[in-house]
Amino acid sequence: MTLRSMEELRQQAQGAQSLNIAFIGVVNGLFSALHQLQKADSRHLAQQAGMDEGYVARWCDAAYAFGWLELNSDDQWQLSADGDSMRPEAPGSRMATAIGSVLSAHMAERAAGLMRTGERPGEKVLAERETILPWFGLMLENNFRKTFEEKICPQVPIFAEVDARGGLAVDLGCGNGWYLRALAQRCNHLRGLGLDGFAENVRQAQEIAQREGLSDRLHFSEGDIHAFSLPEPADLIAMNRALHHVWEKRGAIFDKLRSNLKAEGAVVIWEPAWPDDHRRLREAPLRGMAYQNLTEHVQGNHFLHPEEIASALKEAGLRPEIFPFGSDVMVVGRC
């Protein structure tokens, strides 16, 4: 076992600092504003973004130091290629890494204090930082939509089946609606209903669906997974990385989901696949999962083994099918 050098630790610390700088630029629209201007000094950038000039001047220096900005021959700021990739609207935007980094730091601070008392305050900790919550849905979309579109959706048959009969897909805990939008763009006949407990998520979901011309097939509203009602029985009810949040009440949850399904319907669960062997947590794809499982403990949750999910679906009278996708798993429970 080798000891990491101080230089390696400093490089890791600077990596976190770099993402902190990027986070400030994302949530305050500085990358997008400079993209529109093409080039600007800090005063004009502050005016374009509607921010304080003093803060923007210091941010520009820091963003330049970490390579998010470049200086042209006129001493004006321009986006570097890395900076341009942080624009939320950029194709293949990498802004999720910046949002996730600051969220992780927040959760680490909360875990450090709560470890002394054992308190587990629940999901409200996600809303404790006002600059993070509005970006939570887009962060998840950036992290998971490509995997869903390119790997999961083509390989899990239930999606094509629901589309073929013009069925209703319900997403519980829909965030900004990205899952249903991805489904609707791939499945031309499918209809969608997204429910979420955060009003900001519902607002974003409605707005984006309208902008993308999907509001005739997709609808979103506030709803509680414990006490929701549907306008009609669903062909598919999805829980995306949400089951572990309500695992202690899984019996009642699955009974309710089953009672809201059509005879040929299915519950579709997407979760991180917690490994049976802790030694696997050293593998690069699983390191982040190990860290997140600590932050899930703050929220009163923990990640699940795929077999646990399949067993719970079977107990609810559903026929489980397991589809592994690297460090994630899809478990489909059919009526």
Side-chain angles (χ1 to χ4, degrees), residues 55 67 91 108 128 215 230 243 267:
Y55 272 102
E128 289 175 341
S215 57
L230 302 180
L243 177 61
V267 174

Side-chain angles (χ1 to χ4, degrees), residues 125-137:
V125 298
L126 297 175
E128 289 175 341
R129 293 292 180 265
E130 63 179 15
T131 55
I132 295 177
L133 184 59
W135 297 93
F136 199 79

